[in-house]
């Protein structure tokens, strides 16, 4: 078997798939301020002011909202950072993530 045939066989067996995406979800509570939620969305999740306000209002009116879909590592790190910031300010903001 030639080197070219060997490389061709290896390429045929590789099964590449898109990595799973994880949805980050904010949950409503009676204590976390709307301004704080907007700040978290702009600073941690890099949303525009307008988009942050729309997400915050959805959380407020519907009880929860999907902030976005990210790779696992990004979903975890942003969720942890935002939760840490909320606790530091004394807010019980609940943020979860789930596989899309």
């Amino acid at each position: 078997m030639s080197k070219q045939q060997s490389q061709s066989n290896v390429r045929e067996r590789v099964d590449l798939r898109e990595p799973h995406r994880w949805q980050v979800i904010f949950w409503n509570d009676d204590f976390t301020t709307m301004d704080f939620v907007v700040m978290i969305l702009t600073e941690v999740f890099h949303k525009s002011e307008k988009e942050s306000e729309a997400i915050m209002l959805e959380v407020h009116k519907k009880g929860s909202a999907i902030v976005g879909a990210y790779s696992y590592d990004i979903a975890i790190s942003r969720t942890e950072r935002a939760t840490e910031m909320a606790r530091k300010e004394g807010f019980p903001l609940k943020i979860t993530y789930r596989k899309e």
Side-chain angles (χ1 to χ4, degrees), residues 7 9 18 30 33 35 52 54-55 62 74 89 97 100:
Q7 288 175 345
N9 288 341
E18 287 287 320
D30 293 332
T33 65
D35 289 338
S52 295
I55 293 169
K62 295 183 178 179
I74 291 176
E89 294 297 319
Y97 49 89
E100 218 174 22

Side-chain angles (χ1 to χ4, degrees), residues 1 16 21 39 45 52 66 78 95 97:
M1 179 180 292
L16 298 177
R21 305 284 285 171
M39 185 272 296
F45 291 90
S52 295
I66 296 170
R78 290 186 184 177
I95 307 169
Y97 49 89

Side-chain angles (χ1 to χ4, degrees), residues 17 21 31 38 40 51 53 56 64 69 78 80 85 92:
R17 287 177 256 155
R21 305 284 285 171
F31 304 100
V38 169
I40 290 290
E51 188 176 9
E53 289 175 5
M56 175 274 297
S64 67
R78 290 186 184 177
E80 288 176 353
M85 291 170 72

Side-chain angles (χ1 to χ4, degrees), residues 39-47 77-79 81-82 85:
M39 185 272 296
I40 290 290
L41 290 168
T42 56
E43 287 188 19
V44 178
F45 291 90
H46 309 290
K47 302 293 182 185
S77 65
R78 290 186 184 177
T79 297
R81 181 171 173 223
M85 291 170 72

Side-chain angles (χ1 to χ4, degrees), residues 9-69:
N9 288 341
V10 170
R11 282 190 206 122
E12 291 173 19
R13 287 184 243 157
V14 175
D15 183 22
L16 298 177
R17 287 177 256 155
E18 287 287 320
H20 292 289
R21 305 284 285 171
W22 294 76
Q23 294 177 331
V24 174
I25 304 149
F26 275 33
W27 298 86
N28 191 39
D29 64 66
D30 293 332
F31 304 100
T32 307
T33 65
M34 293 178 178
D35 289 338
F36 183 79
V37 171
V38 169
M39 185 272 296
I40 290 290
L41 290 168
T42 56
E43 287 188 19
V44 178
F45 291 90
H46 309 290
K47 302 293 182 185
S48 70
E49 190 79 20
K50 186 176 179 178
E51 188 176 9
S52 295
E53 289 175 5
I55 293 169
M56 175 274 297
L57 287 173
E58 184 177 349
V59 171
H60 180 69
K61 292 176 182 177
K62 295 183 178 179
S64 67
I66 296 170
V67 172

